[in-house]
Amino acid sequence: GAGVSQSPSNKVTEKGKDVELRCDPISGHTALYWYRQSLGQGLEFLIYFQGNSAPDKSGLPSDRFSAERTGGSVSTLTIQRTQQEDSAVYLCASSLASGANTGELFFGEGSRLTVL
Amino acid sequence: AQSVTQLGSHVSVSEGALVLLRCNYSSSVPPYLFWYVQYPNQGLQLLLKYTSAATLVKGINGFEAEFKKSETSFHLTKPSAHMSDAAEYFCAVSDHGNNRLAFGKGNQVVVIP
């Protein structure tokens, strides 16, 4: 597709379960970001991948959160032992290498996670 | 780290009236500043950006923003609101050192007929 694709669009899970969220970036974009959007909290940075460099994981809120990016393309965000406070919309964005400086981040529609 | 402040989570504006969304930033270096818009059930899209060229920046759908260094502001305006402007608007600043955008909490704009 032409845009950033995220799946699932909606996920309802029980507290304590693990979830995986997938992001397929725009072809040719070397930078990939995960953000979390909570009600009234804006967008919270989680993790950033740039090419083959080590990812910037400084935004991950706890060690229950992890992400990987295979082959420089598709990324998976994994949340282990989910808690109710993890309920949010998880947004993925991709850009060319200089995206953060030019603001040209292209966002997917997000994965809405609800933890019961 | 750089940050932005957006006050007033919900903003109501009458159709045809001025839209004004305020954004103030904190930065120790000249920033790059952005406004993004999120329409219902859609992803965020770039509305306009300031990258140290002209201080008055024009974006899509009739929006514009002015960078004022003395006020550390980057307020977004549109002279006449349209029903289709109902959306959430986010101000963001580029954190050069960490290759990421820092976003404000957003303004939910409601347009009243």
Side-chain angles (χ1 to χ4, degrees), chain B residues 30-92:
Chain B
Y32 290 165
L33 293 157
F34 316 93
W35 278 96
Y36 277 78
V37 60
Q38 186 178 30
Y39 296 105
N41 300 315
Q42 295 186 27
L44 277 77
Q45 57 181 285
L46 182 64
L47 193 57
L48 49 78
K49 63 184 180 183
Y50 166 76
T51 56
S52 74
T55 57
L56 181 62
V57 180
K58 296 186 183 298
I60 60 174
N61 300 334
F63 284 92
E64 63 181 35
E66 186 172 10
F67 171 70
K68 292 186 176 180
K69 183 178 179 180
S70 61
E71 299 177 7
T72 62
S73 69
F74 191 56
H75 302 331
L76 181 71
T77 60
K78 180 174 179 177
S80 177
H82 191 273
M83 296 300 293
S84 61
D85 295 327
E88 190 156 19
Y89 294 81
F90 295 92
C91 184

Coordinates of all heavy atoms in Angstrom, one line a residue, chain B residues 30-92:
Chain B
P30 N 17.6 26.9 18.2 CA 16.5 27.2 17.2 C 15.8 25.9 16.9 O 16.4 25.0 16.4 CB 17.3 27.8 16.1 CG 18.5 28.4 16.6 CD 18.9 27.4 17.8
P31 N 14.5 25.9 17.1 CA 13.8 24.7 16.9 C 13.2 24.6 15.5 O 13.1 25.5 14.7 CB 12.6 24.8 17.8 CG 12.3 26.3 17.8 CD 13.6 27.0 17.6
Y32 N 12.8 23.4 15.1 CA 11.9 23.2 14.0 C 10.5 22.9 14.6 O 10.4 22.1 15.6 CB 12.3 22.0 13.1 CG 13.6 22.1 12.4 CD1 14.2 21.1 11.8 CD2 14.1 23.4 12.1 CE1 15.4 21.2 11.0 CE2 15.3 23.6 11.4 CZ 15.9 22.5 10.9 OH 17.1 22.6 10.1
L33 N 9.5 23.5 14.1 CA 8.2 23.4 14.7 C 7.1 23.0 13.7 O 7.3 23.3 12.5 CB 7.8 24.8 15.3 CG 8.6 25.2 16.5 CD1 8.5 26.7 16.6 CD2 8.1 24.5 17.7
F34 N 6.1 22.3 14.1 CA 5.2 21.6 13.2 C 3.8 21.7 13.8 O 3.6 21.7 15.0 CB 5.6 20.2 13.0 CG 7.0 20.0 12.7 CD1 7.9 19.7 13.7 CD2 7.5 20.1 11.4 CE1 9.2 19.5 13.5 CE2 8.9 19.9 11.2 CZ 9.7 19.6 12.2
W35 N 2.8 21.7 12.9 CA 1.4 21.4 13.3 C 0.9 20.2 12.5 O 1.1 20.2 11.3 CB 0.5 22.6 13.0 CG 0.6 23.7 14.1 CD1 1.3 24.8 14.1 CD2 -0.2 23.7 15.3 NE1 1.0 25.5 15.3 CE2 0.1 24.8 16.0 CE3 -1.2 22.8 15.9 CZ2 -0.4 25.2 17.3 CZ3 -1.7 23.1 17.1 CH2 -1.4 24.3 17.8
Y36 N 0.4 19.3 13.3 CA -0.3 18.1 12.7 C -1.8 18.2 12.9 O -2.2 18.7 14.0 CB 0.3 16.8 13.3 CG 1.6 16.3 12.6 CD1 2.8 16.9 13.0 CD2 1.6 15.3 11.7 CE1 4.0 16.5 12.4 CE2 2.8 14.8 11.1 CZ 3.9 15.4 11.5 OH 5.1 15.0 10.9
V37 N -2.5 17.5 12.0 CA -4.0 17.5 12.2 C -4.4 16.0 12.2 O -3.8 15.2 11.4 CB -4.8 18.3 11.2 CG1 -4.4 17.8 9.8 CG2 -6.3 18.3 11.4
Q38 N -5.4 15.6 13.0 CA -5.9 14.3 13.0 C -7.4 14.3 12.9 O -8.1 14.7 13.8 CB -5.5 13.6 14.3 CG -5.9 12.1 14.3 CD -5.5 11.4 15.6 OE1 -5.3 12.0 16.7 NE2 -5.2 10.1 15.5
Y39 N -7.9 14.0 11.7 CA -9.3 13.9 11.5 C -9.9 12.6 12.1 O -9.1 11.7 12.3 CB -9.6 14.0 10.0 CG -9.2 15.4 9.4 CD1 -8.1 15.4 8.6 CD2 -9.9 16.5 9.6 CE1 -7.7 16.7 8.0 CE2 -9.5 17.7 9.1 CZ -8.4 17.8 8.3 OH -8.0 19.0 7.8
P40 N -11.2 12.6 12.4 CA -11.7 11.4 13.0 C -11.4 10.1 12.2 O -11.6 10.1 11.0 CB -13.2 11.7 13.0 CG -13.3 13.2 13.0 CD -12.2 13.7 12.2
N41 N -10.9 9.2 13.0 CA -10.6 7.8 12.4 C -9.6 7.8 11.4 O -9.5 7.0 10.5 CB -11.9 7.2 11.9 CG -13.0 7.0 12.9 OD1 -12.7 6.6 14.0 ND2 -14.2 7.4 12.6
Q42 N -8.7 8.8 11.4 CA -7.6 8.9 10.5 C -6.3 9.1 11.2 O -6.2 9.4 12.4 CB -7.8 10.0 9.5 CG -9.0 9.9 8.6 CD -9.0 11.0 7.5 OE1 -8.0 11.6 7.1 NE2 -10.2 11.3 7.0
G43 N -5.2 8.8 10.6 CA -3.9 9.1 11.1 C -3.5 10.5 11.1 O -4.1 11.3 10.4
L44 N -2.5 10.9 11.8 CA -2.0 12.3 11.8 C -1.4 12.6 10.5 O -0.8 11.8 9.9 CB -1.0 12.5 12.9 CG -1.4 12.8 14.3 CD1 -1.8 11.5 15.0 CD2 -0.3 13.4 15.1
Q45 N -1.6 13.9 10.1 CA -1.0 14.3 8.8 C -0.4 15.7 9.1 O -1.0 16.5 9.8 CB -2.0 14.3 7.7 CG -3.2 15.2 7.8 CD -4.1 15.1 6.6 OE1 -3.8 15.7 5.6 NE2 -5.2 14.3 6.7
L46 N 0.7 16.0 8.4 CA 1.4 17.3 8.5 C 0.5 18.4 8.0 O 0.1 18.3 6.8 CB 2.7 17.2 7.9 CG 3.6 18.4 8.0 CD1 4.0 18.7 9.4 CD2 4.9 18.3 7.1
L47 N 0.3 19.4 8.8 CA -0.5 20.6 8.3 C 0.5 21.7 7.8 O 0.2 22.3 6.7 CB -1.3 21.1 9.5 CG -2.4 22.1 9.3 CD1 -3.4 21.6 8.3 CD2 -3.0 22.5 10.6
L48 N 1.5 22.0 8.6 CA 2.5 22.9 8.1 C 3.8 22.8 9.0 O 3.7 22.1 10.1 CB 2.0 24.4 8.2 CG 1.3 24.9 9.4 CD1 2.3 25.2 10.6 CD2 0.4 26.1 9.1
K49 N 4.9 23.4 8.6 CA 6.1 23.3 9.3 C 7.0 24.6 9.2 O 6.9 25.3 8.2 CB 6.9 22.1 8.8 CG 7.4 22.3 7.4 CD 8.1 21.0 6.9 CE 8.5 21.1 5.5 NZ 9.2 19.9 5.0
Y50 N 7.7 24.8 10.3 CA 8.7 25.9 10.3 C 10.1 25.3 10.5 O 10.3 24.6 11.4 CB 8.4 26.9 11.5 CG 9.6 27.8 11.7 CD1 9.8 28.9 10.9 CD2 10.5 27.6 12.8 CE1 10.9 29.7 11.1 CE2 11.6 28.4 13.0 CZ 11.8 29.5 12.2 OH 12.9 30.3 12.4
T51 N 11.0 25.6 9.5 CA 12.3 25.1 9.6 C 13.4 26.1 9.3 O 14.3 25.9 8.6 CB 12.5 23.9 8.5 OG1 12.1 24.4 7.2 CG2 11.6 22.7 8.9
S52 N 13.2 27.3 9.9 CA 14.1 28.4 10.0 C 14.1 29.2 8.7 O 15.1 30.0 8.5 CB 15.5 28.0 10.4 OG 16.1 27.3 9.3
A53 N 13.2 29.1 7.9 CA 13.1 30.0 6.7 C 12.1 31.1 7.0 O 12.3 31.8 8.0 CB 12.6 29.2 5.5
A54 N 11.1 31.3 6.3 CA 10.1 32.4 6.5 C 9.4 32.1 7.9 O 9.1 31.0 8.2 CB 9.1 32.4 5.4
T55 N 9.2 33.2 8.6 CA 8.6 33.0 10.0 C 7.1 32.8 9.9 O 6.4 32.3 10.8 CB 8.9 34.2 10.9 OG1 8.4 35.4 10.2 CG2 10.3 34.3 11.1
L56 N 6.4 33.3 8.8 CA 5.0 33.0 8.5 C 4.9 31.9 7.6 O 5.4 31.9 6.4 CB 4.3 34.3 8.0 CG 2.8 34.2 7.7 CD1 2.1 33.9 9.0 CD2 2.3 35.4 7.1
V57 N 4.3 30.8 8.1 CA 4.2 29.6 7.3 C 2.8 29.3 6.9 O 1.9 29.3 7.8 CB 4.8 28.4 8.1 CG1 4.7 27.1 7.3 CG2 6.2 28.7 8.6
K58 N 2.6 29.0 5.6 CA 1.2 28.6 5.2 C 1.1 27.1 5.0 O 2.1 26.5 4.5 CB 0.9 29.4 3.9 CG 0.9 30.9 4.1 CD 0.4 31.6 2.8 CE 0.4 33.1 3.0 NZ -0.6 33.5 4.0
G59 N 0.0 26.6 5.4 CA -0.2 25.2 5.2 C -1.4 24.8 4.4 O -1.9 25.7 3.7
I60 N -1.9 23.6 4.6 CA -3.0 23.2 3.8 C -4.3 23.7 4.4 O -4.3 24.1 5.6 CB -3.1 21.6 3.7 CG1 -3.2 21.0 5.1 CG2 -1.8 21.1 3.0 CD1 -3.4 19.5 5.1
N61 N -5.4 23.7 3.6 CA -6.7 24.1 4.0 C -6.8 25.4 4.6 O -7.7 25.7 5.5 CB -7.2 23.0 5.1 CG -7.3 21.6 4.5 OD1 -7.4 21.4 3.3 ND2 -7.1 20.6 5.3
G62 N -6.0 26.4 4.2 CA -6.1 27.8 4.7 C -5.5 28.1 6.0 O -5.6 29.2 6.5
F63 N -4.8 27.1 6.6 CA -4.2 27.4 7.9 C -2.8 28.0 7.7 O -2.1 27.8 6.7 CB -4.0 26.1 8.7 CG -5.2 25.6 9.3 CD1 -6.1 24.7 8.6 CD2 -5.6 26.0 10.6 CE1 -7.2 24.2 9.2 CE2 -6.8 25.5 11.2 CZ -7.6 24.6 10.5
E64 N -2.4 28.8 8.7 CA -1.1 29.4 8.7 C -0.6 29.5 10.2 O -1.4 29.5 11.1 CB -1.0 30.7 8.0 CG -1.8 31.8 8.6 CD -1.7 33.1 7.8 OE1 -1.6 33.0 6.5 OE2 -1.7 34.2 8.4
A65 N 0.7 29.6 10.3 CA 1.3 29.8 11.7 C 2.5 30.7 11.6 O 3.1 30.8 10.6 CB 1.7 28.5 12.3
E66 N 2.7 31.5 12.7 CA 3.8 32.4 12.7 C 4.7 32.1 13.8 O 4.3 31.9 15.0 CB 3.3 33.8 12.9 CG 4.4 34.9 12.8 CD 3.9 36.3 12.7 OE1 2.7 36.5 13.0 OE2 4.7 37.2 12.5
F67 N 6.0 32.0 13.5 CA 7.0 31.7 14.5 C 7.5 33.0 15.1 O 7.9 33.9 14.3 CB 8.2 31.0 13.8 CG 9.4 30.9 14.7 CD1 9.4 30.0 15.8 CD2 10.6 31.6 14.4 CE1 10.6 29.9 16.6 CE2 11.7 31.5 15.3 CZ 11.7 30.6 16.3
K68 N 7.4 33.1 16.4 CA 7.8 34.4 17.1 C 8.8 33.9 18.2 O 8.4 33.4 19.2 CB 6.6 35.1 17.7 CG 5.7 35.7 16.7 CD 4.6 36.5 17.4 CE 3.7 37.2 16.4 NZ 2.7 38.0 17.0
K69 N 10.1 34.2 17.8 CA 11.1 33.8 18.8 C 11.0 34.5 20.1 O 11.2 33.9 21.2 CB 12.5 34.1 18.1 CG 13.7 33.6 18.9 CD 15.0 33.8 18.2 CE 16.2 33.4 19.0 NZ 17.5 33.6 18.3
S70 N 10.7 35.8 20.1 CA 10.7 36.6 21.3 C 9.6 36.1 22.3 O 9.7 36.2 23.5 CB 10.4 38.0 21.0 OG 9.2 38.2 20.3
E71 N 8.5 35.4 21.7 CA 7.5 34.9 22.5 C 7.5 33.4 22.6 O 6.6 32.8 23.3 CB 6.1 35.3 21.9 CG 5.9 36.8 21.8 CD 4.6 37.2 21.2 OE1 3.8 36.3 20.9 OE2 4.4 38.4 20.9
T72 N 8.5 32.8 22.0 CA 8.6 31.3 22.0 C 7.3 30.7 21.6 O 6.8 29.8 22.3 CB 9.2 30.7 23.3 OG1 8.3 31.0 24.4 CG2 10.6 31.2 23.6
S73 N 6.7 31.2 20.6 CA 5.3 30.8 20.2 C 5.3 30.3 18.7 O 6.1 30.8 17.9 CB 4.3 31.8 20.4 OG 4.5 32.9 19.6
F74 N 4.3 29.5 18.4 CA 4.0 29.1 17.0 C 2.5 28.8 16.9 O 2.1 27.7 16.8 CB 4.9 27.8 16.7 CG 4.9 27.5 15.3 CD1 5.3 28.3 14.3 CD2 4.5 26.2 14.9 CE1 5.3 28.0 12.9 CE2 4.5 25.8 13.5 CZ 4.9 26.7 12.6
H75 N 1.8 29.9 17.0 CA 0.3 29.8 17.1 C -0.3 29.5 15.7 O 0.2 30.1 14.7 CB -0.3 31.0 17.6 CG 0.1 31.4 19.0 ND1 0.6 30.5 19.9 CD2 0.2 32.6 19.6 CE1 0.9 31.1 21.1 NE2 0.7 32.4 20.9
L76 N -1.3 28.7 15.6 CA -2.0 28.3 14.4 C -3.2 29.1 14.2 O -4.0 29.2 15.2 CB -2.3 26.8 14.4 CG -3.0 26.2 13.2 CD1 -2.0 26.1 12.0 CD2 -3.5 24.8 13.5
T77 N -3.5 29.6 13.0 CA -4.7 30.4 12.8 C -5.3 30.0 11.4 O -4.6 29.5 10.5 CB -4.4 31.9 12.8 OG1 -3.4 32.2 11.7 CG2 -3.9 32.4 14.1
K78 N -6.6 30.3 11.4 CA -7.3 30.2 10.1 C -8.4 31.3 10.2 O -9.2 31.3 11.2 CB -8.0 28.9 9.9 CG -8.7 28.7 8.6 CD -9.2 27.3 8.3 CE -10.0 27.3 7.0 NZ -10.4 25.9 6.7
P79 N -8.5 32.2 9.2 CA -9.4 33.3 9.3 C -10.9 32.9 9.5 O -11.6 33.6 10.2 CB -9.2 34.1 8.0 CG -7.9 33.6 7.5 CD -7.7 32.2 8.0
S80 N -11.3 31.8 8.8 CA -12.7 31.5 8.8 C -12.9 30.0 8.9 O -12.5 29.2 8.0 CB -13.4 32.0 7.5 OG -14.7 31.6 7.4
A81 N -13.5 29.6 10.0 CA -13.6 28.1 10.3 C -14.7 27.5 9.4 O -15.7 28.1 9.1 CB -14.0 27.9 11.8
H82 N -14.4 26.3 9.0 CA -15.3 25.5 8.2 C -15.7 24.3 9.0 O -14.9 23.8 9.8 CB -14.7 25.2 6.8 CG -15.6 24.6 5.9 ND1 -15.9 23.2 5.8 CD2 -16.4 25.2 4.9 CE1 -16.8 23.0 4.8 NE2 -17.1 24.2 4.3
M83 N -16.8 23.7 8.7 CA -17.2 22.5 9.5 C -16.2 21.4 9.3 O -16.0 20.6 10.2 CB -18.6 22.0 9.0 CG -19.7 23.0 9.2 SD -20.0 23.3 11.0 CE -20.5 21.7 11.6
S84 N -15.6 21.3 8.2 CA -14.6 20.3 7.9 C -13.3 20.4 8.7 O -12.4 19.6 8.7 CB -14.2 20.2 6.4 OG -13.7 21.4 6.0
D85 N -13.2 21.6 9.4 CA -12.0 21.8 10.3 C -12.1 21.1 11.6 O -11.1 21.1 12.4 CB -11.7 23.3 10.5 CG -11.4 24.0 9.2 OD1 -10.7 23.4 8.3 OD2 -11.8 25.2 9.1
A86 N -13.2 20.5 11.9 CA -13.4 19.8 13.2 C -12.4 18.6 13.2 O -12.5 17.7 12.4 CB -14.8 19.3 13.3
A87 N -11.5 18.6 14.1 CA -10.4 17.6 14.2 C -9.6 17.9 15.4 O -9.8 18.8 16.2 CB -9.5 17.7 12.9
E88 N -8.6 17.1 15.6 CA -7.6 17.3 16.7 C -6.3 17.9 16.1 O -5.8 17.3 15.1 CB -7.4 16.1 17.6 CG -6.6 16.4 18.8 CD -6.8 15.3 19.9 OE1 -7.3 14.2 19.6 OE2 -6.5 15.7 21.1
Y89 N -5.8 18.9 16.8 CA -4.6 19.5 16.2 C -3.4 19.4 17.2 O -3.6 19.7 18.4 CB -4.9 21.0 15.9 CG -5.9 21.2 14.8 CD1 -7.2 21.0 15.0 CD2 -5.4 21.5 13.5 CE1 -8.2 21.2 14.0 CE2 -6.4 21.6 12.5 CZ -7.7 21.5 12.7 OH -8.6 21.6 11.7
F90 N -2.3 19.0 16.8 CA -1.1 18.8 17.6 C 0.0 19.7 17.1 O 0.4 19.7 16.0 CB -0.6 17.4 17.6 CG -1.6 16.4 18.1 CD1 -2.5 15.8 17.3 CD2 -1.6 16.1 19.5 CE1 -3.4 14.8 17.9 CE2 -2.5 15.2 20.0 CZ -3.4 14.6 19.2
C91 N 0.6 20.4 18.1 CA 1.9 21.1 17.9 C 3.0 20.2 18.2 O 2.9 19.4 19.2 CB 1.9 22.4 18.7 SG 3.3 23.5 18.4
A92 N 4.1 20.3 17.5 CA 5.3 19.4 17.8 C 6.6 20.2 17.5 O 6.6 21.1 16.7 CB 5.2 18.2 16.9

